[in-house]
Amino acid sequence: MGGSRVQVNKSHKSRFSSKSSRNLHRTDLKDKSRISKSGGNVAKGARAARLQHNRMVREQKKAALLKEKRATSGSTSPPRVIVLFGLSAAVNVDSLAGDLLSLLSKQGAGAAFSTVASSEYKLRTTVLKAPYGDLLSCMEMVKVADLIAFVASVSSSCEESPSCYIDSFGSQCLSVFRSIGLPSTFVLIRDLPTELKKRQDSKNMCMSSLASEFPEDCKFYPADTKDDLHKFIWHSKEQRLIVPHWRNQRPYIMAQTVDMVVDDGNLEKCTMLLTGYLRAHSLSVNQLVHVSGAGDYQLTKIEILKDPFPLNPRKEQDLMDADEVHDVEVIRSLAPDPEKQEPLLVENIPDPLDGEQTWPTEAEMAEADKNQKQKRLRKRTLPRGTSEYQAAWIVDDTDEEDLDSNDEADNGMVLDKQESDFPDQEGTNNLDLDDDQRSLNLKDSDEETDIDSMMMDGENLTREQIEDEIQKIKNAHAEDEEYPDEVDTPLDIPARKRFAKYRGLKSFRTSSWDPKESLPPEYARIFAFDNFARTQKHVVAKALDMEQENRDDCIPASSYVRLHIKEVPNSVACKLCSLIKTVPVTVSGLLQHESKMSVLHFSIKKHDTYSAPIKSKEEFVFHVGFRQFVARPIFSSDNINSDKHKMERFLHAGRFSVASIYGPISFPPLPLIVLKSAEGGAAPSVAAVGSLKSVDPDRIILKKIILTGYPQRVSKLKAAVRYMFHNPEDVRWFKPVEVWTKCGRRGRIKEPVGTHGVMKCILNGVLQQNDTVCMSLFKRAYPKWPNYRSPILDA
């Protein structure tokens, strides 16, 4: 009885067991021992392999880190660039630079930046002093900086900024530096009190006030005495350098000297000589280079020079092809190969006769011969005695009828072609269509932004007129924020002519729009990719292979070189020769295709310190990585759910937009700084910041306008709407376009009423008397082609 109540447990679930363990009970004892032994060996081998793989990964990372450290701080590495930036006007950067240079070398500080080699610290350093108040010079220095030392003064007190150690200019520069990408950063604290307790309290107060402005790994050092600077130099030497990712993609040179040699054949252009250390990657003599602010050029020669600042001067290097040129020993010289050199192709030269038929093809000639034979075989009734020559001049009635029918067919095709631009139109005559076609050809109905931009280009305006223009732009900016896209229908011009380029869309998201339709003439001058991501991957891989192959036409990184850049305008070379005294001139190597023009799209945001309205198609200076060029962008929203994007007339603050420009092709990631040039030679101001998003000429940007009308009489679902149009022909022209109201009703136009543009509309609900009837129209918008590309040419 008790046996029947024995506890019965569930059997073990073998759901996750292996097949061998399930069939283990079917094998004998020998097989069981063999199976268990082999399973243990498999597990042990897998664990050993996993540990070996992890060990190899650690060793590879350690070797890569050691290689990077040797490349950045070894005896063969280029001098480390240290930028001293004062956070306020009270900071004396010159005295700090003098103390640093005197500690590193017995020679004092000379120019705005100088290079020293210290055998005591086993370090080569280039010290740059950022000029206070010159934003452009500070930006160019930060682009090439390996280390930024922000200098704060305890004695300074700035009421303009939340932090008492940073003034307004320092705060603006900090935000710009973050957008460019900060390298390794330090904060040097000056003017600390001599008493130990007050010194420590002042240091802690400064650290707590500035900690939120800098990265978490940023370290603070006092910098009053030589012992403090000695500690800072040792710590900065041992620290691993952090460099922005975009700077590691291309080779670049911070020029130390700039010279020019006038060409004998061309007096307007010259050969520019730039000398400096090659950084980041190797440079090929067949590559194109970009000179910051001056444009893209080709190289005629690259010379490897003897290092003027050796860390170990006692070691003599083997000199090959030693030559004395400008008191500098030339070790090696490279000349480009005409077959392999990258061509300086900026724009595509369109052929105006491309696609035109200039000579009949063989098939057309064969068809013409066949038709001629058929005409000869055709029987014709001719008078007696008519020769073959006379018969050729006699036209039969059937031929005349064929010609008449062909003319009518041709006329019908032309009308169909004209009507296909605006389908489903009713009540329009041929005169209206011709007028609209004429307005399309003459571009009389372009948007108001073009007119305003042309007005802004006038140089002969008085001061009062300039102030009026600025006030008009501010009023338009405020009106665009309050009533976006709303446009008044003009009284003197018919709406079908004024808005001839616009069309209605059933759905902004799902309606189709051909990206190749009615392109402007500028699109014949640009280049496009079938697959931009694949092209970028191929170009980057090609550049990496070129560096790993150690080819004869490449100069290795860390070499002291002199570049011979050909066909540089004399005015540009003279300007660069004067700029080198205060601003570093940077030369960067270009990847394949990066000299060609295309349509670039940037993710952009208006800068907090810029209060003036930013209008589409205004002229700005774009700083994209090392490159600088002039562009006239249009702004649009970034619509993720659709292939169409709405144009924005102004760049509004507090949100990101997309800026589209005609510019040289660049491969992301790259930072963007947008500068607005001031009048009268004043310093430019930062208008916006952002980054490169894509290169795509097929991105559809639609300008939207809204025509508004007001209900005059309402009867259930019907309403008479006025003031949207001013004549019945316009009502018939826009009859196929859907209308909507601000209270959420939708409907269509039924017919015009009267002779003053009143129209009868049928809606899907009862229309309120205080509602507004709207009609949305769209047309594709394009950026403006810049008048010039290089900022130095304008200066």
Side-chain angles (χ1 to χ4, degrees):
M1 190 171 175
S4 62
R5 297 183 179 179
V6 174
Q7 179 180 353
V8 179
N9 297 326
K10 291 182 178 179
S11 60
H12 180 69
K13 296 180 179 179
S14 60
R15 177 182 168 193
F16 300 104
S17 60
S18 63
K19 292 181 179 180
S20 60
S21 62
R22 292 177 194 169
N23 300 327
L24 195 62
H25 62 283
R26 299 180 181 178
T27 59
D28 55 0
L29 294 176
K30 294 181 180 180
D31 294 335
K32 286 183 180 180
S33 62
R34 182 176 57 83
I35 292 173
S36 62
K37 185 176 180 181
S38 62
N41 289 337
V42 170
K44 187 176 180 180
R47 182 174 181 274
R50 188 170 64 253
L51 293 176
Q52 178 68 14
H53 175 70
N54 294 339
R55 191 180 301 112
M56 289 177 60
V57 171
R58 285 198 303 270
E59 290 177 356
Q60 289 175 358
K61 289 184 178 180
K62 191 181 297 184
L65 187 62
L66 184 61
K67 181 181 178 181
E68 181 184 354
K69 186 176 180 181
R70 287 174 178 172
T72 56
S73 61
S75 59
T76 58
S77 63
R80 184 171 293 187
V81 180
I82 300 178
V83 175
L84 302 178
F85 178 79
L87 293 175
S88 63
V91 177
N92 189 357
V93 180
D94 295 334
S95 63
L96 177 60
D99 295 342
L100 274 176
L101 292 174
S102 62
L103 192 63
L104 292 170
S105 176
K106 295 181 180 180
Q107 300 176 358
F113 52 91
S114 55
T115 303
V116 294
S118 174
S119 57
E120 178 184 357
Y121 294 97
K122 297 181 180 180
L123 180 69
R124 295 193 296 176
T125 306
T126 300
V127 180
L128 304 181
K129 298 177 289 185
Y132 182 84
D134 191 353
L135 177 64
L136 193 58
S137 300
C138 295
M139 285 173 52
E140 293 301 314
M141 290 183 180
V142 169
K143 289 179 184 179
V144 299
D146 296 321
L147 190 148
I148 301 181
F150 293 98
V151 187
S153 177
V154 175
S155 61
S156 63
S157 59
C158 307
E159 299 178 356
E160 302 175 359
S161 180
S163 175
C164 60
Y165 303 99
I166 308 177
D167 60 2
S168 59
F169 179 76
S171 179
Q172 181 188 19
C173 289
L174 266 178
S175 63
V176 173
F177 296 165
R178 293 192 198 100
S179 301
I180 295 175
L182 282 175
S184 301
T185 57
F186 290 92
V187 177
L188 302 180
I189 305 174
R190 301 272 287 179
D191 302 330
L192 289 171
T194 55
E195 188 178 348
L196 186 60
K197 188 176 184 308
K198 292 183 179 179
R199 180 184 180 88
Q200 189 64 29
D201 292 342
S202 300
K203 180 182 175 183
N204 293 338
M205 187 182 300
C206 182
M207 290 174 59
S208 62
S209 178
L210 296 177
S212 61
E213 301 288 340
F214 299 100
E216 296 180 357
D217 57 348
C218 181
K219 296 182 179 180
F220 293 77
Y221 294 96
D224 286 326
T225 62
K226 287 189 175 182
D227 294 336
D228 296 336
L229 295 178
H230 175 77
K231 183 179 178 181
F232 161 69
I233 292 174
W234 273 112
H235 283 187
S236 63
K237 178 180 180 297
E238 296 299 327
Q239 186 182 11
R240 180 190 176 190
L241 294 180
I242 300 174
V243 180
H245 176 64
W246 63 269
R247 237 166 64 182
N248 286 331
Q249 291 183 332
R250 299 164 182 82
Y252 67 97
I253 296 173
M254 186 187 72
Q256 294 185 344
T257 59
V258 177
D259 298 321
M260 54 182 293
V261 178
V262 180
D263 295 341
D264 297 334
N266 191 353
L267 299 178
E268 296 181 357
K269 294 186 178 181
C270 65
T271 299
M272 191 165 58
L273 310 179
L274 290 98
T275 308
Y277 289 92
L278 181 62
R279 303 171 189 267
H281 290 286
S282 60
L283 177 66
S284 173
V285 71
N286 297 319
Q287 268 184 280
L288 297 177
V289 295
H290 175 82
V291 183
S292 293
D296 305 334
Y297 300 97
Q298 286 181 323
L299 297 174
T300 57
K301 187 168 59 172
I302 297 181
E303 296 173 338
I304 301 181
L305 309 179
K306 184 180 178 181
D307 198 337
F309 304 100
L311 199 57
N312 299 319
R314 295 181 181 179
K315 292 184 179 181
E316 296 293 333
Q317 298 180 356
D318 297 334
L319 301 181
M320 299 174 60
D321 301 330
D323 189 12
E324 293 290 336
V325 179
H326 297 291
D327 299 333
V328 178
E329 295 182 354
V330 178
I331 300 176
R332 185 183 172 197
S333 179
L334 296 179
D337 186 358
E339 296 181 356
K340 297 180 180 179
Q341 190 173 19
E342 188 81 15
L344 185 58
L345 188 59
V346 178
E347 298 179 14
N348 180 34
I349 302 175
D351 185 6
L353 299 178
D354 189 16
E356 295 289 335
Q357 182 179 357
T358 57
W359 189 259
T361 61
E362 294 182 358
E364 292 174 344
M365 294 175 68
E367 186 179 358
D369 293 340
K370 183 179 178 181
N371 295 336
Q372 191 69 19
K373 290 179 180 179
Q374 289 179 356
K375 287 183 179 180
R376 289 178 180 176
L377 294 176
R378 188 189 307 169
K379 293 182 178 181
R380 303 174 62 187
T381 57
L382 298 173
R384 289 184 179 181
T386 305
S387 64
E388 185 179 356
Y389 176 77
Q390 292 173 341
W393 290 90
I394 299 175
V395 180
D396 293 341
D397 296 337
T398 56
D399 295 337
E400 293 179 357
E401 292 175 1
D402 294 338
L403 289 174
D404 294 339
S405 62
N406 291 336
D407 292 341
E408 291 175 1
D410 292 339
N411 294 335
M413 289 175 62
V414 172
L415 289 175
D416 292 340
K417 184 177 180 181
Q418 290 178 346
E419 292 175 356
S420 64
D421 292 336
F422 297 92
D424 299 335
Q425 304 295 337
E426 298 177 3
T428 57
N429 51 17
N430 298 339
L431 180 61
D432 295 335
L433 290 172
D434 293 339
D435 291 341
D436 295 331
Q437 196 68 25
R438 197 177 299 115
S439 66
L440 284 172
N441 295 334
L442 296 178
K443 298 184 180 179
D444 291 335
S445 59
D446 207 353
E447 65 271 19
E448 58 274 3
T449 10
D450 297 343
I451 301 171
D452 293 340
S453 62
M454 292 296 293
M455 292 176 64
M456 291 299 295
D457 293 338
E459 298 179 355
N460 299 324
L461 298 179
T462 62
R463 183 174 181 180
E464 291 77 9
Q465 291 175 338
I466 294 175
E467 291 178 355
D468 293 341
E469 287 294 330
I470 295 174
Q471 188 62 35
K472 286 180 182 178
I473 294 177
K474 290 183 178 180
N475 296 337
H477 180 266
E479 185 179 356
D480 184 64
E481 286 185 337
E482 187 175 0
Y483 304 104
D485 307 322
E486 291 192 9
V487 176
D488 295 332
T489 305
L491 295 173
D492 53 345
I493 304 175
R496 62 188 182 278
K497 294 182 180 180
R498 174 63 182 86
F499 307 117
K501 293 184 180 180
Y502 291 84
R503 69 178 70 172
L505 290 179
K506 182 69 176 176
S507 172
F508 186 85
R509 185 178 65 87
T510 60
S511 297
S512 62
W513 193 298
D514 186 8
K516 306 295 185 183
E517 175 189 359
S518 301
L519 296 177
E522 289 80 10
Y523 265 56
R525 303 165 62 181
I526 65 173
F527 296 85
F529 299 102
D530 292 336
N531 190 331
F532 180 72
R534 183 178 61 193
T535 304
Q536 179 181 1
K537 185 178 180 180
H538 172 72
V539 168
V540 173
K542 182 179 177 182
L544 188 61
D545 293 342
M546 181 186 70
E547 185 173 8
Q548 293 177 353
E549 289 174 0
N550 294 325
R551 300 193 315 195
D552 296 336
D553 60 343
C554 293
I555 300 295
S558 306
S559 303
Y560 189 71
V561 299
R562 178 164 55 207
L563 304 181
H564 293 249
I565 303 175
K566 68 176 182 178
E567 296 183 359
V568 180
N570 291 333
S571 58
V572 173
C574 295
K575 184 75 174 178
L576 291 175
C577 290
S578 60
L579 282 177
I580 190 65
K581 300 176 183 178
T582 55
V583 183
V585 177
T586 308
V587 181
S588 59
L590 298 181
L591 300 177
Q592 189 181 10
H593 307 302
E594 283 197 328
S595 66
K596 302 171 183 176
M597 296 288 286
S598 186
V599 180
L600 279 66
H601 307 285
F602 297 88
S603 178
I604 193 173
K605 183 180 180 182
K606 189 176 181 180
H607 200 260
D608 298 334
T609 60
Y610 195 78
S611 58
I614 300 177
K615 195 174 184 180
S616 289
K617 302 182 182 180
E618 282 188 5
E619 199 171 82
F620 296 95
V621 179
F622 276 54
H623 288 245
V624 183
F626 289 118
R627 309 180 78 172
Q628 303 176 23
F629 49 85
V630 179
R632 302 177 67 179
I634 60 170
F635 306 111
S636 61
S637 60
D638 192 7
N639 195 351
I640 303 175
N641 301 324
S642 175
D643 61 340
K644 296 177 286 296
H645 310 272
K646 180 178 171 296
M647 175 188 166
E648 298 176 350
R649 291 179 175 86
F650 293 89
L651 181 63
H652 298 287
R655 66 187 184 192
F656 277 92
S657 298
V658 177
S660 303
I661 66 168
Y662 290 117
I665 294 171
S666 301
F667 295 105
L670 284 173
L672 169 68
I673 306 296
V674 181
L675 299 183
K676 179 64 177 177
S677 301
E679 297 180 357
S685 54
V686 181
V689 296
S691 60
L692 178 61
K693 183 180 177 67
S694 63
V695 179
D696 184 15
D698 292 339
R699 188 177 189 268
I700 300 174
I701 302 173
L702 299 182
K703 180 182 178 181
K704 178 183 178 182
I705 62 170
I706 299 176
L707 305 181
T708 57
Y710 304 96
Q712 185 179 17
R713 292 184 302 273
V714 177
S715 175
K716 295 183 180 180
L717 301 182
K718 299 179 181 179
V721 181
R722 59 179 177 177
Y723 299 145
M724 182 179 289
F725 304 109
H726 303 294
N727 55 69
E729 288 79 10
D730 290 342
V731 177
R732 296 189 187 99
W733 180 267
F734 291 99
K735 184 179 178 181
V737 184
E738 185 185 31
V739 296
W740 52 277
T741 70
K742 292 186 177 181
C743 291
R745 301 284 185 262
R746 290 191 173 274
R748 61 183 179 85
I749 301 173
K750 184 179 180 181
E751 59 184 0
V753 178
T755 59
H756 295 285
V758 181
M759 58 186 181
K760 186 183 292 186
C761 299
I762 301 177
L763 304 168
N764 61 352
V766 179
L767 182 66
Q768 299 179 9
Q769 193 67 36
N770 59 349
D771 203 351
T772 304
V773 180
C774 305
M775 176 185 291
S776 299
L777 299 175
F778 302 91
K779 81 162 185 175
R780 189 171 177 184
Y782 302 93
K784 278 289 183 182
W785 194 273
N787 298 328
Y788 54 92
R789 286 189 292 270
S790 300
I792 288 186
L793 295 178
D794 177 54

